[in-house]
Amino acid sequence: MSSTLGVLSDAERLFIVHGVQDDLRSDGRACEDYRHVEVETDVVSNTSGSARLRLGNTDILVGVKAEMGEPDPGRPKEGKLEFFVDCSANASPEFEGRGGEELAIEVSNALQRIFSSKSTLDLTALCIIPAGQCWVLFVDVLVLECGGNLFDAVSLAVKAALFSTRLPTVIVTADDEGQQEIELSDDPYDVKRLDVDNVPLIVTLSKIGQRHVVDASWEEELCSLARLTVGVTRKGTIAGLNKEGSGSLDPESIYEMIESGKKVGMVLNSRLKEALQKEENSKREKIGFLG
């Protein structure tokens, strides 16, 4: 059966596993190397921020829409983030039917986990009137093509889209009766940016044979029975951890994978920041990094 239907031959699996053991993957990368990444921001009109990111053959589009809403009663001085993920059936045959829905829920939950910490994104900056009005950021993720390592690609694209997000300046005044009124600036340059420096990126480490790899290709994912997804900030702080797959991981492997994830995650955060700043200064040119 063709490998495009999710099956590799025994010879193909053996070739991939032996290559990983020798730190030489089928596409020439070492075990801790990422594929080439291209990022472009402000690609969708009528959004507060957007980004398109390509990681190898994986293609992600993210749009951020800001609307006013009421804060949660338990967090009256904070705004909100809502994630919606759509795994297009055209992106992969595996996304047809409920397969795409289940994966979309997994990706959305992973994003909610890494953004659950107050230290990742300052949600108080989204507050307009405490216990009254706040900004609600609806982050829509569309998977256009899946060529492996979906979680990492989505987290990169989401951070890029949040970096490009601009919120109009809000002026709160009181009328003669003491009622608070909200005015939005209509000046396109009178905006507020989000501080995304501490927003973590997801690093997925896939166990293949006796070793692990980062940024697994679609074929390598078929050879892995256990994966560890690690949320890593620019300073190497772990913001989330989740084990996936039916295989087991011994404590020593988990420790090695976490340490590897921290090291790779710090580099990934740094390279993405450099690429986004360069892309912004170059006025909408596609910028590549890694690979």
Side-chain angles (χ1 to χ4, degrees):
M1 188 179 294
S2 169
S3 63
T4 57
L5 296 180
V7 175
L8 292 178
S9 68
D10 291 340
E12 288 175 310
R13 290 179 183 272
L14 200 60
F15 178 77
I16 291 173
V17 172
H18 284 181
V20 169
Q21 285 299 115
D22 295 332
D23 198 24
L24 182 61
R25 296 155 76 174
S26 57
D27 55 9
R29 290 181 292 152
C31 289
E32 292 188 354
D33 288 345
Y34 267 74
R35 291 167 291 179
H36 182 68
V37 182
E38 278 189 356
V39 64
E40 187 179 6
T41 59
D42 295 333
V43 293
V44 182
S45 60
N46 299 321
T47 61
S48 303
S50 62
R52 185 170 185 176
L53 184 132
R54 296 173 181 85
L55 171 59
N57 293 329
T58 299
D59 194 355
I60 309 295
L61 181 65
V62 177
V64 180
K65 195 82 170 179
E67 297 182 5
M68 285 191 183
E70 295 182 2
D72 291 332
R75 296 183 172 183
K77 297 182 180 181
E78 296 181 7
K80 296 187 285 187
L81 276 176
E82 302 285 347
F83 294 99
F84 175 77
V85 181
D86 181 10
C87 295
S88 169
N90 296 325
S92 171
E94 297 179 7
F95 292 170
E96 294 181 0
R98 294 194 58 81
E101 293 179 14
E102 292 172 357
L103 183 58
I105 293 172
E106 286 183 32
V107 176
S108 180
N109 289 341
L111 291 172
Q112 291 285 5
R113 276 197 300 272
I114 66 171
F115 278 92
S116 61
S117 171
K118 292 185 178 181
S119 62
T120 58
L121 188 66
D122 183 16
L123 295 180
T124 59
L126 300 178
C127 179
I128 299 172
I129 301 174
Q133 290 288 311
C134 69
W135 286 111
V136 182
L137 302 184
F138 295 94
V139 183
D140 294 321
V141 179
L142 177 61
V143 181
L144 299 173
E145 186 175 355
C146 184
N149 201 20
L150 181 61
F151 288 78
D152 296 26
V154 167
S155 75
L156 283 161
V158 166
K159 185 166 184 174
L162 291 173
F163 172 85
S164 75
T165 296
R166 295 168 174 83
L167 302 175
T169 298
V170 179
I171 301 173
V172 180
T173 59
D175 60 18
D176 296 337
E177 298 178 356
Q179 296 293 322
Q180 290 180 312
E181 295 182 347
I182 297 174
E183 293 182 14
L184 297 181
S185 172
D186 55 5
D187 183 347
Y189 297 100
D190 187 15
V191 295
K192 180 171 68 173
R193 304 286 293 272
L194 300 175
D195 181 4
V196 299
D197 270 359
N198 291 324
V199 170
L201 294 174
I202 294 176
V203 178
T204 302
L205 303 108
S206 303
K207 189 73 179 290
I208 299 177
Q210 300 302 311
R211 300 191 66 169
H212 61 265
V213 301
V214 300
D215 186 26
S217 65
W218 177 83
E219 293 84 2
E220 288 172 334
E221 288 182 345
L222 294 176
C223 299
S224 175
L225 294 178
R227 294 176 298 280
L228 206 63
T229 56
V230 186
V232 185
T233 68
R234 63 186 177 90
K235 294 182 179 180
T237 304
I238 301 297
L241 188 68
N242 191 48
K243 186 264 179 187
E244 298 175 350
S246 58
S248 60
L249 294 172
D250 60 84
E252 185 177 353
S253 293
I254 294 175
Y255 175 78
E256 291 177 355
M257 293 167 82
I258 291 175
E259 290 301 306
S260 178
K262 287 168 61 177
K263 180 176 68 174
V264 172
M266 291 171 67
V267 173
L268 201 58
N269 273 285
S270 175
R271 296 287 180 86
L272 177 63
K273 182 178 181 179
E274 291 173 6
L276 290 172
Q277 291 175 338
K278 185 178 179 181
E279 193 260 355
E280 187 171 53
N281 294 335
S282 64
K283 301 302 179 185
R284 309 286 75 85
E285 288 182 15
K286 293 181 183 177
I287 299 297
F289 64 102
L290 300 175

